[in-house]
Amino acid sequence: MPDHTNDPQEPRPELDPEHDGRLTPASTSGNLDPYAKEDGLAEEVTAVPAEITPVTAVTPAPVTAAAPPAPPAPPKTADPDEDDEEDDGMLRMSFLEHLEELRFRLIRALMGLGVAFGVCLFYTDKLWDAVREPAASALKQLGLPEDLAQITPIEGFSIIWVKIPVICALFIASPWILYQVWAFIAPGLYKKERRLATPFIFTTAGLFIAGGAFAYFVAFRFGLAFLLGIGVGHGVKPVVSITEYTDLFVNVILGVALVFELPVLIFFLTLLRIASPRFLLAHSRYAILIIVILAAVITPTPDAVNLTIFAAPMILLYFAGVFASHLLVLSREGKKFPWHRVLYGVLVLAAIIGGLLWLALTKYGYHWLWKWPFLMK
């Protein structure tokens, strides 16, 4: 037989799927068993030749690593001023510039105090009568002369024309002085914090004046009557020096006025993240103890009644400061306080107090006084 394996004119047939171990679709339709022909159990099935398409190798695509996800966009803030707080929020000042600013603010504060002092000089007689009135009232209740004693020649001038006008000018010029304080610390604050200027000035000055008024109309009068009446009936006749009396008056008035700034102090501690409402409430027992000790130092009398008169408003002011601290925390968290519920409760409480006062004035024979204890039969 001729050998055609090396014949170049006759093309070599491609291997069909049967030679490389694969079956065509046509061959799978019959019952083909590779061992059936040998055993004689099945007839040979003639496969229909089918057009064979060459198989091309598929080159797998190169696997590339997935790109990392893009970082999330920064959250949008409701206040556009917060975006530039880090860059433009605070003013950069050197140490010498701080000293120059401090000198400027001190001069302006002293100028305001000087103007208020000049105004008070025109009313020295009326101011001295107002300062002397608690002592005159206490001495009158004890059946003693209402005049105060002058021990040295210079006492009258230094008290009536210098010390009393200065104290009154301090209360009158307190909003201006507090504004200078705020203007000095404002360069170190963010823009959002500088908006607290107006509430800070009015609240701080209002509490300072309210504390002085409380001391003058309530605390000092009640305590002075107790002190002057201790020796009466034991062979002691009170002789009150205007210097000693004025020193006691100034200490009590300024001490209570400064204590009334407790809510502002608590608010700033919360603003600087030194304290929190939860911390203040958890340690309120220690705060009350410190307030009672401080009231005992400020109180001009050692009795429990005057101690209570001083300590009760201070405790209320402490919890008012905790409430202001809570409002600040809610503002930071984007929450709102239910003011309508609080207003409803305040109106109900005011209605109850008003009803009790009406009953006391109309049914039980009490009448109103503009001094402590305000209601007398």
Side-chain angles (χ1 to χ4, degrees), residues 128-141 148 215-217 220-222 224-225 228 245 249 253:
W128 172 244
D129 291 339
V131 172
R132 187 182 61 88
E133 197 274 333
S137 178
L139 292 172
K140 184 178 179 180
Q141 292 179 6
L148 300 179
Y216 177 80
F217 289 103
F220 183 71
R221 291 173 178 269
F222 199 81
L224 187 64
L228 294 177
Y245 172 77
F249 178 85
I253 297 296

Side-chain angles (χ1 to χ4, degrees), residues 18 25 54 117 119 158 248 292 336 363 365:
E18 186 176 358
F117 176 77
V119 173
S158 62
L248 180 63
V292 172
K336 294 183 178 180
K363 301 296 184 181

Side-chain angles (χ1 to χ4, degrees), residues 16-18 21-30 32 47-52:
D16 56 359
E18 186 176 358
R22 292 183 290 117
L23 298 178
T24 62
S27 63
T28 57
S29 60
L32 293 181
V48 180
E51 184 179 358
I52 301 174

Side-chain angles (χ1 to χ4, degrees), residues 167-224:
I167 297 301
C168 295
L170 181 62
F171 280 91
I172 295 174
S174 59
W176 173 257
I177 296 174
L178 291 170
Y179 170 74
Q180 300 304 320
V181 173
W182 180 267
F184 175 71
I185 65 176
L189 302 176
Y190 293 119
K191 288 183 178 180
K192 188 176 182 180
E193 296 172 342
R194 293 176 196 169
R195 300 173 185 172
L196 300 174
T198 302
F200 167 79
I201 293 171
F202 282 98
T203 302
T204 308
L207 289 173
F208 186 75
I209 297 173
F214 172 79
Y216 177 80
F217 289 103
V218 179
F220 183 71
R221 291 173 178 269
F222 199 81
L224 187 64

Side-chain angles (χ1 to χ4, degrees), residues 119-331:
V119 173
C120 292
L121 287 178
F122 291 96
Y123 302 95
T124 52
D125 294 337
K126 294 182 179 180
L127 291 177
W128 172 244
D129 291 339
V131 172
R132 187 182 61 88
E133 197 274 333
S137 178
L139 292 172
K140 184 178 179 180
Q141 292 179 6
L142 299 174
L144 299 172
E146 302 177 13
D147 297 331
L148 300 179
Q150 180 177 343
I151 308 300
T152 62
I154 199 65
E155 279 183 323
F157 175 79
S158 62
I159 297 298
I160 299 175
W161 289 91
V162 178
K163 183 174 288 188
I164 298 302
V166 167
I167 297 301
C168 295
L170 181 62
F171 280 91
I172 295 174
S174 59
W176 173 257
I177 296 174
L178 291 170
Y179 170 74
Q180 300 304 320
V181 173
W182 180 267
F184 175 71
I185 65 176
L189 302 176
Y190 293 119
K191 288 183 178 180
K192 188 176 182 180
E193 296 172 342
R194 293 176 196 169
R195 300 173 185 172
L196 300 174
T198 302
F200 167 79
I201 293 171
F202 282 98
T203 302
T204 308
L207 289 173
F208 186 75
I209 297 173
F214 172 79
Y216 177 80
F217 289 103
V218 179
F220 183 71
R221 291 173 178 269
F222 199 81
L224 187 64
F226 176 84
L227 290 175
L228 294 177
I230 291 178
V232 176
H234 298 278
V236 177
K237 180 180 179 180
V239 177
V240 183
S241 168
I242 60 173
T243 299
E244 298 295 333
Y245 172 77
T246 306
D247 290 343
L248 180 63
F249 178 85
V250 171
N251 291 337
V252 173
I253 297 296
L254 289 182
V256 178
L258 291 176
V259 168
F260 267 57
E261 301 295 335
L262 184 60
V264 178
L265 176 62
I266 294 175
F267 180 83
F268 270 93
L269 290 178
T270 307
L271 182 65
L272 299 175
R273 302 181 185 274
I274 299 176
S276 64
R278 180 174 299 180
F279 174 82
L280 296 172
L281 288 177
H283 298 81
S284 58
R285 66 184 73 179
Y286 306 107
I288 294 175
L289 177 62
I290 295 173
I291 288 173
V292 172
I293 295 174
L294 182 61
V297 174
I298 299 176
T299 306
T301 61
D303 62 304
V305 177
N306 280 277
L307 179 64
T308 305
I309 293 174
F310 276 79
M314 295 166 63
I315 295 174
L316 293 177
L317 289 171
Y318 174 80
F319 287 103
V322 174
F323 177 70
S325 174
H326 178 64
L327 292 180
L328 178 60
V329 172
L330 289 180
S331 176

Side-chain angles (χ1 to χ4, degrees), residues 81-90 190-192:
D81 293 337
E82 292 181 0
D83 297 334
D84 60 347
E85 281 183 352
E86 295 296 333
D87 298 331
D88 302 330
M90 293 186 296
Y190 293 119
K191 288 183 178 180
K192 188 176 182 180

